[in-house]
Amino acid sequence: MTRLDTVIERLMAQRSCLNAAASALRDVPGHILELGLGNGRTYDHIRTLFPDRDIYVFDREVASHPDCRPDAAHLFLGSMAETLVTAADQLGPDAVLIHADIGFGDAAATERNVATLGPKMLTLVRSGGLVLCDQSLERFEGLTPEPLPPDVETGRYHVYRRA
Ligand SMILES: C[S@@+](CC[C@H](N)C(=O)[O-])C[C@H]1O[C@@H](n2cnc3c(N)ncnc32)[C@H](O)[C@@H]1O
């Protein structure tokens, strides 16, 4: 598998998991957290899937396409190690969906990021809510793995339900 194949598979898995989450949560009210704005691809997809929800977005900087930028009231700018704590104070444990795309090219840096952010994410999602992540969050108590959409290979993306 080439690196191009890997990227394409990851993006298709991301889209399938987001689409499945939108179906599962259609009748479940609550706001959404997008961890990792990046260039705004998944933010754009999420706001299309959930047009009536508040979507709060986290990143250390805004570097997205100009058409894919949240307004200031929905943006938590800075290190997520800090902004997730601020958000927990402001929003409470009420998110119905967290999508976290928080990996880097560097495996060790990704591992440190997951170890730091994983427990903080858990304080933001309500019982029964979904957490979708590009990284495994299996080690964190309180998250139960959910079946993946049929077109997503095991390990390609990760979906959990908050106990
Ligand atoms: C893989 S990109 C996200 C791509 C995005 N989902 C998209 O579809 O365009 C990851 C983003 O998360 C941000 N990020 C990762 N860890 C972070 C942290 N600990 N604090 C703040 N931002 C972080 C990076 O700055 C980067 O923009």
Side-chain angles (χ1 to χ4, degrees), residues 10-11 14 34-43 58-61 63-64 76-83 99-104 113 116-117 134 157:
R10 188 175 65 81
L11 295 180
Q14 209 170 38
E34 164 77 329
L35 277 50
L37 175 65
N39 73 25
R41 282 183 300 240
T42 50
Y43 169 64
F58 298 73
D59 208 305
R60 60 179 83 254
E61 60 181 352
S64 59
F76 287 86
L77 206 54
S79 165
M80 284 190 229
E82 292 161 19
T83 55
H99 174 239
D101 190 8
I102 53 173
F104 305 111
N113 211 27
T116 302
L117 303 184
D134 65 322
Y157 224 69

Side-chain angles (χ1 to χ4, degrees), residues 10-20 42 45 49 157:
R10 188 175 65 81
L11 295 180
M12 288 176 65
Q14 209 170 38
R15 182 181 59 185
S16 288
C17 291
L18 289 169
N19 290 349
T42 50
H45 200 69
L49 291 172
Y157 224 69

Side-chain angles (χ1 to χ4, degrees), residues 31-58:
H31 62 257
I32 293 169
L33 307 182
E34 164 77 329
L35 277 50
L37 175 65
N39 73 25
R41 282 183 300 240
T42 50
Y43 169 64
D44 190 32
H45 200 69
I46 290 169
R47 69 182 177 177
T48 302
L49 291 172
F50 296 94
D52 302 323
R53 310 285 181 122
D54 282 314
I55 304 167
Y56 297 95
V57 179
F58 298 73

